[in-house]
Every structure is written in C-alpha cells, then in structure tokens.
C-alpha cells in the first residue's frame, strides 16, 4: 500500500531565509581590507561566520583579496581536516518522478527519459560491483514517487548493508531523496542511515517558483525548506544541505546556505553535517536559459567563502565537475568527493563506459574510476579515506561537534583514514596506486610522535597485511 504522507510542518516552522536582509547585505558592501583581515582571523580561530561577515567575503573583487581568501580557506581546511578526502559513490535506485523540475532529466514531462527502478536483486548486483571496486560509502538517490515511500527506501538500505562480496562491505549508506514527514524519516532512520541529504535547489523564492511548477509537490517551497527540521524531529541529526548553483545568483545561494546552517544550529544546537554546491549540468531534453551560470572563477570564490563561514561542516564536490576543476577547487576546503561515479540506473554492474543522457539525471564531468581518482589524490598529497568510524561509533550531531571542537578530528581521523586506505590498497588498488599509497602511509607515520598511539596504528596496519579488516582506533 502506498505511504500516506502527513503534510504537517515541523514545530515552529518558519521561512528563515531573510531575502530582504540578504539582498541588502549583498548590495551594500564594498571590499574593506581591514574588515577582511578581522574576518580571516576569526575564521582561523574556527569560529562560524555571521551573515554580515559572509557577505563581506562575497564582496571581494580584487585579485589580491581573492588570493588571501583562498590561502585562508586552504589553511583552515588543513587545520581542521588535515589532508584527508573522503570518497563515496552515488547509487541511483530509481528515476520515477511526480515532479517537473525544469533542470532535471528525471522530470515527469521528459518524454525521452528511460524510466527504471532497480529490483532488490539488481541492487545486490550493483552493490557487488561497487564493492569490487573498493567502495565503502554510498549515497542512495531516488526520484520522488509514491513508489519510493519510507518503507521502500528503508528496504533498499537494508539490502545494501546485507551485501558482502569478498572483503567488501558498505559501511555507511547516505540518502538523497524527497522530503518525508516525521513518521517517514523515523522508518528510514531505523535502518541505520548516515546523512539524509536534501538540496533546497535555490533559496530565492521567486526563482524557486520559476523552476518548480506550483502544481507539483516540489512546488511547495516551505515543505522543502522545512524538510531537514522534520528529519531532526524524527531523530536524524546527520543532515546534508545544498543548493543547485546556476539557478540564481550564486552569492545569494551562499547566503541561503549559511542562513540554513545558522538556523539548524540555532534550533537544534547542531549545524548540517555536509554542504553540497552542485553546479547545474546539461540534462536530457534540457534547453533552459541559465542567466546565472556560475563561472569557474566564481565557483572557487563560492567554495572558499563556504569553507570559512561553516568551518566544521563537511563540503562535498561531486563528479559533476571536471577533473581539472576538481584539482583546483579541492584544496580550497572540500572534504568529500564521489569517485567512479555512474549515474545510469544499473550502470555499475553493466560496466557501461559511455554516458547516455536519456538514462541519467545529468551529465557527469569526472568519469574516472575509483582507482584512478585514488591515485590522483595520492599524487596531490591527499589521504583518500573510506573511513566510517564516527558514524559507527555514534559520533553524529552534537557528539560529532564536541569531538570536532576538541580538535580530535586529526588525532582519530587521520589514523582511521590510513587504515581504510591500507585496506583499499591491499584489496583493490592497481600496482601504481598501491605504490603511491604505501609511500604516503609511510610518510604520515613518520610525522607521528613515537608513542603507544603510533604503535597501535602500526599494529593495526600489520593486521590488515595479514587479512584482518575493519580495524579502527
Ligand atoms: N528527487 C529528489 C530531490 O529532488 O530532492 C532527490 C534526488 S535528485 C535526483 C538530486 C539532486 O540532483 C537534486 O536535488 C538537484 O539539486 C540535482 N540535479 C538535478 N538536475 C540537475 C542537473 N541538471 N545538473 C546538476 N544537478 C542536478
Ligand atoms: Fe524529480 Fe528530484 Fe529530478 Fe526534481 S530533481 S525532477 S524531484 S528527481
């Protein structure tokens, strides 16, 4: 029986995006060097920024100001997250959709789109293929349809966790699906999900109305804006926000994202776990004027400002971006990327190399496989991480914030990243990637003081060599 959604908003729901204030702040600021230095200093103390401060960073126009911003973002990222980059893959479960978002290849009016929902057996085949590449973290992606109710989503999560191919295991399943009601989120949470991610698409109401027809569920701006408040009410404290960059002025969207983060922190004591900033890509049958396209230069600006504004929030840059852009932007504060991405439904087990837009939501920019991306990251001096320790140790929401604010990320996360990397190198890597990875692990060990902690890490690394898996400190 199809799930009957209760369209009740969360307790005390309100539109926390103050468009007038945002527009005023964005139009009223010039570039003030003294003020900027103060804000950079505040950021380096790992303090979240206010909307006013964020607007000041968005007002930077000079090359010199931008370079200073980029250097600060790089330094802050290093101070909080070290040089780890967490890797994951999206798994598209189904593209049935009752909505008609003008930019999306899955929209209901797209006649050319091939519709498909994976069966549970097909999910098993996809997950096996993903595990055989070395993936440990997935995000399951769904269109919006009564077919994809909470029980269906929960069942997919259960199926994914149940698959084990060789040494493979998916240790964290995140979700990107339509907003649910409180009861629905509870059903999904009970299966042990990581992050529940929902993108607002645009925080600008008039633009929202332009791209999401009013006679569709997604046409209801408040239902979506309030969606993660309801998730929190249902006990999900690991939330992902995002905006689809290119629908409206990117500076406004940054202010919208920061407003959202501040709102969650104020209401629940915990900000979002991740922020995504996908740039709009070509999609099946899409022929839209996009006057607000965000240039590569502005994209770098956007990422650096977000890094400073929400220091403890993970930042996700997806494979929508090309390898060249990823290479540049990575250093400015990104903490997670997807790799080996296939958007075609069933695309991992069919091993299809070519992109076919009629079977995909949008065009992918980085089509490199997981081994290749891992090798590239190692070459750039990053530690590719498959770690899922925090979530499995119950360090989410305010417990994660406490952990982060005590500066424990580097103490625990770097070793755990190295342990998961060692597993990957042993089980899945090409000889070239393995050589790069082994050298990096050695280099990271050399940086650590000789103490019992280091001995414990080395002992775990030896155990991985002898075939033990899923070790963490
Ligand atoms: N259907 C659910 C929803 O709309 O929230 C969840 C999944 S939707 C498949 C995931 C995200 O893809 C959307 O929130 C949107 O931001 C993004 N997206 C849609 N069309 C896109 C395009 N042409 N280029 C880049 N990203 C796109
Ligand atoms: Fe459907 Fe989501 Fe695409 Fe909108 S973005 S058409 S809701 S799949």
């Amino acid at each position: 029986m199809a799930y009957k959604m209760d369209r009740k908003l969360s307790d005390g729901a309100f539109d926390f995006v103050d468009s007038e204030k945002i527009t005023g702040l964005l139009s009223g600021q010039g570039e003030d060097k003294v003020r900027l230095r103060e804000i950079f200093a505040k950021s380096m103390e790992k303090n979240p920024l206010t909307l006013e401060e964020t607007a000041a960073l968005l007002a930077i126009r000079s090359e010199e100001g931008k370079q200073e911003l980029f250097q600060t973002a790089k330094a802050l990222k290093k101070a909080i997250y070290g040089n780890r980059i967490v890797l994951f893959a999206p798994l598209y479960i189904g593209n049935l959709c009752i909505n008609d978002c003008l930019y999306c290849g899955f929209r209901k009016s797209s006649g050319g789109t091939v519709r498909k929902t994976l069966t549970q057996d097909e999910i098993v085949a996809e997950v096996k293929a993903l595990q055989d590449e070395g993936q440990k973290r997935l995000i399951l992606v769904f269109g919006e349809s009564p077919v994809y109710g909470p029980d269906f989503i929960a069942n997919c999560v259960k199926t994914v966790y149940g698959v084990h191919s060789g040494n493979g295991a998916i240790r964290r399943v995140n979700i990107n699906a339509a907003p649910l009601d409180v009861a629905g989120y509870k059903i999904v949470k009970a299966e042990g999900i990581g992050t529940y991610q929902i993108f607002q698409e645009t925080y600008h109401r008039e633009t929202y109305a332009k791209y999401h027809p009013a006679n569709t569920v997604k046409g209801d701006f408040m239902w979506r804006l309030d969606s993660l408040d309801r998730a929190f009410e249902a006990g999900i404290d690991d939330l992902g926000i995002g905006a689809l960059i290119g629908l409206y002025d990117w500076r406004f969207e940054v202010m919208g994202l920061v407003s959202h983060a501040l709102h969650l922190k104020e209401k629940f004591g915990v900000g979002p776990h991740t922020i995504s900033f996908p740039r709009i890509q070509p999609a099946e049958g899409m022929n839209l004027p996009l006057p607000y396209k965000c240039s590569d230069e502005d994209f770098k600006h956007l990422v650096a400002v977000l890094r400073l504004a929400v220091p403890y929030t993970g930042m996700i840059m997806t494979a929508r971006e090309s390898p060249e852009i990823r290479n540049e932007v990575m250093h400015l504060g990104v903490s997670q990327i997807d790799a080996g991405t296939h958007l075609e439904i069933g695309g991992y087990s069919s091993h299809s190399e070519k992109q076919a837009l009629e079977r995909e939501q949008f065009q992918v920019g980085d089509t490199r496989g997981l081994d290749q991306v891992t090798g590239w990251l190692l070459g750039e001096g990053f530690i590719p991480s498959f770690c899922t320790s925090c979530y499995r140790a119950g360090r989410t929401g305010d417990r994660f914030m406490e952990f982060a604010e005590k500066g424990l990320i580097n103490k625990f996360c770097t070793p755990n990243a190295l342990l998961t990397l060692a597993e990957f190198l042993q089980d899945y890597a090409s000889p070239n990637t393995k050589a790069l990875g082994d050298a990096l692990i050695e280099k990271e060990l050399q940086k650590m003081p000789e103490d019992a902690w280091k001995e414990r890490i080395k002992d775990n690394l030896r155990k991985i060599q002898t075939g033990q898996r899923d070790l963490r400190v």
Side-chain angles (χ1 to χ4, degrees), residues 86-91 93 136-142 153 156-157 160-161 170-177 188 192-197 236 238-240 273-274 316 336 387-388 391 396:
V86 171
L87 292 167
F88 69 95
L91 172 56
I93 302 289
K136 294 284 188 281
R137 305 166 62 111
L138 298 184
I139 182 156
L140 307 189
V141 187
F142 303 80
I153 297 176
C156 294
V157 174
V160 171
Y161 279 133
I170 299 301
R171 299 178 184 152
R172 180 180 170 115
V173 177
N174 297 332
I175 302 291
N176 185 320
V188 175
I193 58 160
T195 309
Y196 203 107
Q197 187 185 66
I236 302 177
D238 194 326
L239 308 171
H273 186 62
T274 57
I316 303 180
Q336 294 191 27
C387 185
T388 53
Y391 149 71
T396 59

Side-chain angles (χ1 to χ4, degrees), residues 19 99 106 139 182 209 250 302 318 324 378 385 404 408 460 464 467:
S19 298
N99 292 318
F106 294 170
I139 182 156
V182 173
W250 64 270
L302 172 156
T318 70
E324 295 72 29
L378 288 165
S385 172
L408 293 175
N460 276 340
I464 289 170

Side-chain angles (χ1 to χ4, degrees), residues 103 141-142 176 199 201 218 224 244 281 320 361-362:
Y103 46 78
V141 187
F142 303 80
N176 185 320
F199 303 156
E201 319 300 10
K218 196 155 163 182
R224 198 163 180 94
L244 183 56
Q281 301 298 313
R320 289 170 180 86
Q361 195 195 7
F362 50 80

Side-chain angles (χ1 to χ4, degrees), residues 171-247:
R171 299 178 184 152
R172 180 180 170 115
V173 177
N174 297 332
I175 302 291
N176 185 320
L180 300 175
D181 58 6
V182 173
Y185 285 122
K186 283 186 180 163
I187 294 170
V188 175
K189 179 185 160 57
E191 270 328 312
I193 58 160
T195 309
Y196 203 107
Q197 187 185 66
I198 297 174
F199 303 156
Q200 185 59 30
E201 319 300 10
T202 171
Y203 287 91
H204 188 253
R205 265 183 177 270
E206 291 89 82
T207 306
Y208 191 92
K210 223 161 66 189
Y211 287 97
H212 306 98
N215 60 354
T216 61
V217 178
K218 196 155 163 182
D220 184 343
F221 181 87
M222 246 343 262
W223 177 246
R224 198 163 180 94
L225 191 67
D226 180 56
S227 59
L228 293 174
D229 293 52
R230 296 194 298 280
F232 204 98
E233 245 178 58
I236 302 177
D237 60 4
D238 194 326
L239 308 171
I241 64 173
L244 183 56
I245 304 300
L247 296 181

Side-chain angles (χ1 to χ4, degrees), residues 92 94-108 115 141-145 176-179 201 211-212 218 224 244 361:
Y92 277 70
N95 64 359
L96 302 179
C97 200
I98 54 171
N99 292 318
D100 214 12
C101 315
L102 266 50
Y103 46 78
C104 178
F106 294 170
R107 69 197 181 280
K108 71 174 176 196
R115 304 284 165 182
V141 187
F142 303 80
E144 177 158 5
S145 158
N176 185 320
E201 319 300 10
Y211 287 97
H212 306 98
K218 196 155 163 182
R224 198 163 180 94
L244 183 56
Q361 195 195 7

